[in-house]
Amino acid sequence: MKYDYLIVGSGLYGAICAHELKKQGYNVLVIEKRNHIAGNIYTEDHKGIQVHNYGAHIFHTNNKLVWDYINSFAEFNRFTNSPLAFYKDKLFNLPFNMNTFYQLWGVKKPIEAQQKILEQKKSYHIENPKNLEEQAISLIGKDIYEILIKGYTEKQWGRKATDLPPFIINRLPVRFTFDNNYFNDKYQGIPIGGYTKIIEKMLEGIDVKLNSDFFENKQEYLSLANKIIYTGPIDKFYDYQFGALEYRSLYFENEVINESNYQGNAVINYTDFDIPYTRIIEHKHFDYVETEHTVITKEYPRDWKIGEEAYYPINNDLNSNLYIKYKELADREEQIYFGGRLADYRYYDMHHVIEKALNFIKSLDKQ
Ligand code: FAD
Ligand code: UDP
């Protein structure tokens, strides 16, 4: 065998595994089906502006070890994500905080905002929220649900908010302070120079083959290495034998504009159902650069079919049960390890992926 490990996928999970294994003296080959490394955190330089090709990526974590780890590959700026929401020609601050409540109801004190929310949710008598709509109304009342959540959520997921699990909305903070920070995490920022450089650094000195789909030469790849770390879709690995796990996909429409500042903020969400995109990203605001032009991306949610880019797992009961069946097969493998957002079928942020990858590498030591 030429390699100790074959790693399928050069995203964050695969790259960390490759880096750590090489550090321990193993011989590693990474194969990647796309024509570039870095998976969904791939960023590309457009005349000085780092464009996030697969959607806006803001790093945030409370885990100091994870923060120190990622900072060993790049210097981070102190970007704080403070998106705005656009609804029927008005702008509101996100996440839901005293600025939003003031813009919506004119309330200036936390107690007034709390009373307003209590009043709005009282008539619904929700004790144990069973779906996203109930969860949202019980967290922040009917007005915010209708203006800032319902339309966005239903176009994002292509389903009624009453057919979605409550936990999706728990990602968003609700605060009774005037604080527009989208995340509660202690450590946040954007890597100066973009994310691709981080992955390049992780993969330094490692054999990487681009445009190489594992399934197109499976037998040959299996013969190259003793062990495999697979970061692609778990259901595809088993030839969809129990059926395909469902995803929501996205279409990114990029535009270069001859204006130095298009929208004055990195992220503006469009919460009205009738506007087909969910957000407009203006990339230069992630790490401000003086340029005469700017690059924006409109993000359109769309249905997913096998073969298209899979972005958001649909974590309902049907898919969770299906995933368990594939996981049972994966757990029986002796030389093949599964990891990352596609193999675990989970809506992971980057910090989760780092934690998972480092823990996995540690677990190999014990074997
Ligand atoms: P991926 O990046 O998907 O890497 C898997 C790689 O495997 C891909 O390059 C793929 O091409 C390759 N591959 C798959 N199958 C094969 C095959 N058969 N053969 C060869 N190669 C294969 N996280 C945050 O922390 N902050 C954010 O702001 C944030 N924003 C996001 C916005 C969007 C729109 C999306 C979709 C995700 C966002 N995330 C964010 C999550 C983040 O992108 C992921 O956590 C992270 O990129 C997952 O890394 P991964 O290595 O598991 O997967
Ligand atoms: N959401 C919303 N309105 C917004 C932003 C988010 O209703 O303006 C809901 C929506 O259901 C979304 C979820 O909150 O799927 C999580 O939002 P987040 O910004 O974390 O989504 P991501 O960046 O992962 O797409």
Side-chain angles (χ1 to χ4, degrees), residues 67 104 115 179 230 236-237 239 259 267 281 365:
W67 182 241
L104 201 63
Q115 272 161 1
D179 178 359
Y230 174 81
K236 177 151 191 191
F237 190 89
D239 216 8
E259 235 179 282
V267 183
I281 309 302
D365 293 344

Side-chain angles (χ1 to χ4, degrees), residues 112-123:
E112 293 167 342
Q114 280 155 351
Q115 272 161 1
K116 191 92 191 160
I117 291 171
L118 202 65
E119 230 170 76
Q120 293 205 350
K121 68 181 210 192
K122 225 164 46 192
S123 61

